[in-house]
Structure formats: structure tokens, C-alpha cells
Amino acid sequence: MIKKFIRSFLGKKKELDTTEPTVLSQKQHGIDLQLVSPNAIRVTQTLQEAGFKAFIVGGAVRDLLLSVKPKDFDVATNATPEEIKQLFRRAFIIGRRFQIVHVMFGQELIEVTTFRGSSADAAPKDEHGRVLRDNTFGEQHEDAVRRDFTINAMYYDPAAQTVLDYHGGIADIRAKTLRIIGVPEARYREDPVRMLRVVRFAAKLKFSIDAATSAPIPVMAPLINNVPAARVFDEMLKLLMSGHALACLQQLRKEGLHHGLLPLLDVVLEQPLGEKFVTLALANTDARIKQGKPVSPGFLFASLLWHQVLEKWRAYQASGEYPIPALHLAADDVLNAQTEKLALQRKIASDMRDIWAMQPRFERRTGKAPYKLLEHLRLRAGYDFLLLRCASGEIDAELGDWWTDFMEADNSGRESLLARKPTTSSAGGAASAGSAGTGAGAGAGAGPAPAARKRKRRGGRNRSKSGGGEGSGSGSGGNSSSDGDA
């Protein structure tokens, strides 16, 4: 009775467990077959010729209906994983929670899933209701109920050029509305990552979130803490690499989902300097993705967490640590705190350390130090990071301009730049950043003159040693072959 009232109130005419889809012809849905991957068509055709049902499904259909070429194609079928595997030369069964098949065509991967059945009460769950494993297969209409949002629950048959719509997804696409299938509280409890997906799709597609879909999120957000860290990291990486990272972060905060995902990020965003830095970093990332340029996850996370590192860097120096060891200690603290929430891969963490460790080295503009830095494997990433710091007002733009000129100059031009006296003082790495930061940071940068001179002399004696420390850190990280799939 209550469910019927809610559906009536929301204007839903169809029951959520409908078994008869609306069938849309090519004229009605308008999908351009040229936007469909030939390999996805090949997979559906092979399965159909073997006597199975097969459809392109999910986000690919959603994008095709929006006249956007999908990046990935998923196929759903009534064939079992073993039957799928037998039909393709390069097919691999993966998955623990629900088995799927990866069919490879060169570099392109087509993900093929068997229609999922109604969620069984006997499926293993954790104490919070999250489904741990569910290999129940079923009919197509049951599979549609199991999908997360109405706009992702449509099936496209390239051969017949028809779209099967079980839950009014086409209407929601035209209304630019994101609506979860079923009772939102129950769906979020089954898989809390769906709350992050709501945010990503809303920001990416510029859709509004249905009121009933959005309402439980602030209350149920803590359930994300029960999801394995690696899975949360994968979803966060998709969110940040979506080309709409800034909009996603704003939506995360709006929905109350940001707490715990990037600890202390709120503190950064409440400080004008930190907010400007993060905003610039995300905007630059979005621009590069839209231009088809590569984006480094290490650079992105290094940017998001930099002001936490900067704050701890200043604190360690204020307590008497020398600048370079203080920076490494600060990096350790921040990365260790993140490991509990996000399973940062070792390769990404190594890249982040390299980018951070280069920052004080940019301050050294005498002798052979700049030439040695030019040989660093991640010079470009470190230099781009330096420019972000300059653009945000954290440090004087003169330093970034000097390095731009130095990198572009010939040998005589570089010697001339080395002979030029810097217009800004930058002893001790973080001192110049401290002068541009908060009162506490400035206090950390300033100190008794003798102590400052002592640090400078020690830095001079150990300059090559410090550089070696950064290099060795890079080397240890470089041995890791763990490189995630965004």
C-alpha cells in the first residue's frame, strides 16, 4: 500500500518488477549504428547465432541514446560464463561476487555478463546488508531489476536495432533525471558504491538526481566505510578521471559523501589558498581529458593531498626538522592516513612522492642543481605541479617563470639565468610557501637567524645526498608493477 502510494506520488506508472519491456524502434530511439563498436556487434552476433539472447547493455546504451560514442561496451546474455567462454578464442572468466567474462579483441575488451536473477535472500551478506557474493542467473526482466539506475537498464540489439526499456529509462534520459531502480535504501545497503555512482553520473551527464534517490544518501553515506578500499579507490578514480572531476567533487560535498574518502580534504577546501589550488588542479585535469590528453592519477592525487602535506611539512620544520627530511615525514603521514580509506596503488604513491620531493629542488637555482633536475624522469609532472602552486598564489610566480625560461633556453641562455639573482628568497624549501600561507605557516618558515643559517649550510653540504634520497625513493617505488585500471 505504501509502495503504491509512493509510486503514484512520484508519477511512476509501471511496477518496478515489470516483465514486459517497452520496445523502441530505430526511428524512436535514434541510435547511430556507426557509434557502436564492431567488436561489440560481433559478440552479440556470435551469441545470437549460437542460439542465445544477447544485447549491448548499460552505460553504452545510455551514451548511444545521448549521441555520445561510448568508451566501453558491455554485453548481457542468457548464456552462462562457461558457454560464453567456449564461443570466443580470447575469453576469460573473472569475478568473485558475480562471475563475468572478458572477451578480448586486440586492445579492446568487451565485458559479457549472464542475466542476473532476483537477489536471493540466501546470498552471503555482511552485517550491514552488503551483498558479498551472488552468482544467481535469471531472466532478462530480472536482470533489469538488478541494475542500478533506470537509464542504465536498457538493452540494445544491433541486429534488430531495437531498444528494450523495462523501467522508463528513455523517459528519464529525456527528462535528464537520475533515478535508482527499487527502494533506494535497500539498493544502497546492497552496494554502497552506488551512492558514489549517483554522484558521478549526475555530474558527468548534468542530470538532476530524483528526490527519492537522493534523500537517503546523507544518512547512509557511512556504509561506504564497509566497502573494500580497493573498490572505493577504483570508483573514486573513475569519478576523478571522468572529465568532470570538479563537478563530481562539488556533488560529493552536496550529497554529504566526501567525508572519509579524502580525509581532511574539507579542511583544505575551507582555506582560500587550498580551495584555489584544488580547483585549478581539477579544472586542468578535466581540460586535458576533454582534449584527449593523458592524465596521471599520481599527479591528480598529489594535487588533492598537497595542502595536507604542506601543512605537516611546515609543522615538522617548526619542531626542528630540516626541510628535506621534514617533507618526507609529511608525505609518509599523509599517505599512511590515506591507505586506510583508499587503496592507493604503490605506483601511484611513488609518483606522488616524486612530485612532492621535487618541489624544494626547484628552489635551488645555482650550480649544477638545475641541470640535475632536468634529468629527473618525472620532471614534467613536477614542473606542472610547480606551476599550479604559482597559479594558486602559494608561491611567487617568478619561480615558475624562471623554470619555464630555463627549460626552453639553450646552454648560453641557461648560464645567463643561473647568473641572475632570484628576486624572491627561498631558503629551506617550504619557507617561501610558508610566507604565502597562513600565520602558522609563516611562523614555521621564519625563525632565529642563526638556526636558519645553520640549516642552509647543512643543506649545502648534503645537497647531493638529499637529491639521492629523492632518487632512491623513486627507485623503490619503480619496482612496483601494480598499475590500476582507471
Side-chain angles (χ1 to χ4, degrees):
M1 186 73 178
I2 294 174
K3 287 183 179 180
K4 287 183 72 175
F5 173 76
I6 292 173
R7 289 169 191 159
S8 174
F9 178 76
L10 294 174
K12 296 289 285 182
K13 294 182 180 180
K14 289 187 177 183
E15 291 293 323
L16 292 178
D17 61 351
T18 181
T19 59
E20 292 299 325
T22 298
V23 181
L24 304 170
S25 66
Q26 200 284 329
K27 186 176 180 180
Q28 291 171 304
H29 60 68
I31 288 177
D32 182 358
L33 200 58
Q34 297 298 314
L35 296 177
V36 183
S37 162
N39 290 322
I41 295 175
R42 180 178 169 185
V43 170
T44 57
Q45 183 178 351
T46 300
L47 286 162
Q48 289 171 354
E49 288 175 351
F52 300 107
K53 295 179 180 179
F55 302 83
I56 294 171
V57 70
V61 181
R62 177 199 68 223
D63 289 347
L64 289 169
L65 289 167
L66 292 169
S67 299
V68 175
K69 186 176 179 62
K71 290 183 179 179
D72 304 297
F73 285 84
D74 296 341
V75 170
T77 176
N78 60 344
T80 65
E82 291 76 14
E83 290 170 332
I84 298 166
K85 190 175 186 300
Q86 291 175 3
L87 293 174
F88 300 96
R89 185 172 61 86
R90 296 184 63 203
F92 311 92
I93 299 175
I94 67 165
R96 187 175 299 175
R97 182 173 176 231
F98 186 87
Q99 288 188 331
I100 59 179
V101 181
H102 283 175
V103 181
M104 303 295 300
F105 296 93
Q107 294 299 311
E108 186 176 12
L109 182 154
I110 307 296
E111 189 169 282
V112 186
T113 60
T114 305
F115 293 148
R116 292 171 293 179
S118 299
S119 183
D121 293 334
K125 299 176 182 178
D126 67 13
E127 64 272 24
H128 303 284
R130 181 172 65 89
V131 176
L132 301 175
R133 187 169 59 257
D134 184 7
N135 280 319
T136 304
F137 303 137
E139 299 297 323
Q140 187 172 10
H141 68 273
E142 294 175 309
D143 185 77
V145 171
R146 292 287 302 275
R147 295 192 177 269
D148 47 13
F149 308 110
T150 60
I151 62 172
N152 290 341
M154 289 177 282
Y155 302 75
Y156 176 57
D157 181 352
Q161 294 197 50
T162 55
V163 170
L164 305 187
D165 180 7
Y166 283 87
H167 297 284
I170 190 70
D172 282 340
I173 281 182
R174 289 167 180 167
K176 295 188 175 182
T177 300
L178 197 60
R179 189 190 316 275
I180 202 164
I181 297 171
V183 179
E185 291 87 344
R187 302 309 304 278
Y188 295 145
R189 198 172 293 280
E190 287 173 358
D191 186 1
V193 168
R194 285 177 178 140
M195 290 184 278
L196 297 180
R197 288 167 62 83
V198 166
V199 168
R200 175 158 61 91
F201 290 138
K204 176 183 176 180
L205 302 172
K206 297 181 180 178
F207 278 23
S208 61
I209 302 176
D210 168 63
T213 299
S214 176
I217 292 177
V219 177
M220 304 188 75
L223 290 177
I224 293 175
N225 295 328
N226 305 315
V227 178
R231 189 152 179 258
V232 174
F233 174 78
D234 287 343
E235 193 60 37
M236 282 296 294
L237 200 56
K238 289 177 184 178
L239 186 147
L240 294 170
M241 305 282 277
S242 65
H244 306 271
L246 186 55
C248 284
L249 185 58
Q250 291 167 342
Q251 191 77 42
L252 275 175
R253 299 186 77 197
K254 180 181 176 182
E255 300 296 334
L257 282 168
H258 53 295
H259 297 298
L261 295 174
L262 290 169
L264 304 180
L265 186 58
D266 253 1
V267 177
V268 173
L269 293 176
E270 288 167 3
Q271 300 171 0
L273 206 62
E275 182 176 18
K276 187 173 182 182
F277 183 88
V278 170
T279 300
L280 281 171
L282 294 177
N284 288 352
T285 298
D286 290 346
R288 288 185 66 85
I289 290 173
K290 288 171 184 174
Q291 293 165 11
K293 295 180 180 179
V295 174
S296 162
F299 184 91
L300 183 55
F301 279 100
S303 301
L304 290 175
L305 300 176
W306 169 243
H307 274 255
Q308 295 172 36
V309 173
L310 186 59
E311 181 182 357
K312 290 180 179 292
W313 186 16
R314 292 169 179 164
Y316 275 119
Q317 288 186 89
S319 68
E321 283 287 353
Y322 292 102
I324 299 302
L327 177 56
H328 288 300
L329 287 170
D332 287 342
D333 286 352
V334 171
L335 289 174
N336 288 339
Q338 292 302 321
T339 301
E340 297 178 9
K341 297 294 181 182
L342 295 173
L344 283 171
Q345 296 149 5
R346 289 178 59 192
K347 173 64 167 61
I348 293 176
S350 175
D351 289 349
M352 293 164 68
R353 287 181 185 276
D354 283 348
I355 290 168
W356 292 336
M358 270 190 278
Q359 299 313 301
R361 295 181 64 182
F362 284 114
E363 304 272 4
R364 305 169 188 165
R365 291 183 275 172
T366 58
K368 298 296 183 183
Y371 287 104
K372 288 182 179 179
L373 192 52
L374 287 180
E375 299 172 0
H376 199 292
L377 290 174
R378 289 182 177 77
L379 171 67
R380 186 70 204 188
Y383 165 73
D384 288 344
F385 197 85
L386 174 73
L387 295 186
L388 268 181
R389 296 174 66 204
C390 294
S392 70
E394 180 195 318
I395 56 176
D396 197 296
E398 185 271 340
L399 182 60
D401 293 340
W402 189 93
W403 273 97
T404 300
D405 294 340
F406 188 78
M407 291 170 68
E408 294 176 352
D410 55 19
N411 287 337
S412 62
R414 287 175 177 174
E415 290 302 317
S416 175
L417 286 165
L418 289 171
R420 183 196 305 172
K421 187 176 180 180
T423 59
T424 56
S425 175
S426 55
S432 60
S435 64
T438 63
R453 284 197 297 272
K454 182 178 179 182
R455 287 185 185 178
K456 188 172 183 180
R457 287 200 303 272
R458 173 159 179 164
R461 286 200 306 271
N462 294 339
R463 181 166 296 171
S464 61
K465 192 172 182 179
S466 297
E470 291 156 13
S472 64
S474 173
S476 63
N479 292 332
S480 170
S481 61
S482 176
D483 197 359
D485 182 3

